[in-house]
Amino acid sequence: MLRAVLLLVCLLATGACRAQTTLDPALLERVRVLAETAARAAAPPDTRVAVEIGALDARLRLAPCGQVQPYLPPGMAVWGRSRIGLRCIDGTARWNVTLPVRVAVFGRAVVASGPLPAGVSLSQDQLAMADIDIAADPGAVFTDPAQLIGRTLARPLAAAEAVRAPALKSRQWFAAGETVQVLAAGPGFAVASEAQALGAGIEGQEVRVRFENGRVASGRAVAERRVELAL
C-alpha cells in the first residue's frame, strides 16, 4: 500500500519519476554515521562497529526531494539487521521510506573451542576467546570464561560459535520453602528483607515469596537465594 501511494504521489507531482536505485553519497554517509553512532552508544568498550548499507526497493518511485533526512525509527534495533528511515522534508511531495542496514559489532568474547553437544557441563578446556561479531545473533555474550565454568548447554554449539546466554540452561537459585533475601528497589531507595520462597527460583523468572507478616509478593530470581522486587 505504501509503495502504491508513493508511486501515485510521484506521478501526480511530477508526471514521471525515476526509480531511486542509488542514493547520493553524502546522504549515504549520513546514514552510516547515524547507524554507527546509535550502535556505539549501546556497544561495550573496546569494540569496533561496521555498517553495511543496503539499497532501496527498486520498485519504489519517489518524487524529487531537495532535502532527505535520515532518522532511526522508534523501537528499531541498533545492532544486526535493521533499517534507517529516510523522509523527504523539502520536496513537491513528502515521502517516508526505510533503507536496510546491517550493523556489526566486533569484540572479544567466549566461544566453543570445538563442537559441544547439548547437556554438556562446560569446562575451561572447552572454551576459548575470539574476535566475533557480537551483533550477529540475539543473546548476550560472555567476556570471561570463568563465568561459564560448570554451566550446562541447552543446545549444541559448533566450533568457534559464541556462547550466548540463550544457549545455557537456566540455573535454579533456590527451592520452594527456602528462606531468601528480597531486595525491593525504587527511585532513590532500596530495602532488604527476608521471605520464604513459594516456588523454585529459576534464573531470571518470576517467583512468589511470603514475608513474615503474611504478605505475598512476586519478584525475579537473580542469584543464590536472592529475589529482586521492582517498585
Side-chain angles (χ1 to χ4, degrees):
M1 178 62 73
L2 175 60
R3 295 190 181 99
V5 171
L6 290 174
L7 174 57
L8 178 60
V9 168
C10 182
L11 293 176
L12 290 176
T14 67
C17 50
R18 61 186 178 82
Q20 297 292 309
T21 54
T22 60
L23 295 172
D24 180 73
L27 175 59
L28 290 177
E29 176 60 16
R30 291 166 60 201
V31 168
R32 186 196 65 76
V33 170
L34 175 62
E36 182 175 329
T37 300
R40 286 192 183 282
D46 301 320
T47 54
R48 178 173 60 86
V49 175
V51 178
E52 179 183 319
I53 302 175
L56 288 174
D57 190 322
R59 295 170 293 179
L60 284 173
R61 299 292 188 271
L62 304 178
C65 185
Q67 185 177 356
V68 179
Q69 180 185 63
Y71 69 97
L72 185 66
M76 192 65 66
V78 296
W79 288 12
R81 296 190 182 279
S82 187
R83 303 188 78 86
I84 295 294
L86 299 175
R87 55 190 167 208
C88 175
I89 60 175
D90 181 16
T92 55
R94 299 295 177 92
W95 45 258
N96 194 335
V97 296
T98 58
L99 181 66
V101 296
R102 180 180 176 275
V103 181
V105 181
F106 295 100
R108 289 188 68 76
V110 182
V111 301
S113 59
L116 297 176
V120 70
S121 180
L122 295 174
S123 59
Q124 183 69 49
D125 61 346
Q126 294 169 323
L127 304 171
M129 298 295 296
D131 290 311
I132 64 164
D133 177 8
I134 62 178
D137 294 298
V141 297
F142 297 85
T143 57
D144 182 3
Q147 296 175 298
L148 296 170
I149 304 303
R151 297 293 303 271
T152 303
L153 286 182
R155 64 171 183 83
L157 293 179
E161 182 178 354
V163 183
R164 297 178 183 269
L168 301 170
K169 284 189 176 180
S170 297
R171 290 172 285 195
Q172 180 173 322
W173 291 121
F174 48 84
E178 287 194 69
T179 299
V180 296
Q181 290 291 321
V182 179
L183 178 67
F189 74 93
V191 178
S193 58
E194 288 189 347
Q196 182 184 44
L198 299 181
I202 306 301
E203 181 178 19
Q205 295 184 12
E206 291 289 314
V207 61
R208 298 172 72 218
V209 297
R210 180 186 291 117
F211 294 95
E212 187 176 354
N213 62 8
R215 186 172 70 90
V216 175
S218 293
R220 186 166 57 93
V222 296
E224 191 74 29
R225 295 186 178 84
R226 181 177 171 185
V227 174
E228 286 186 355
L229 303 182
L231 300 179

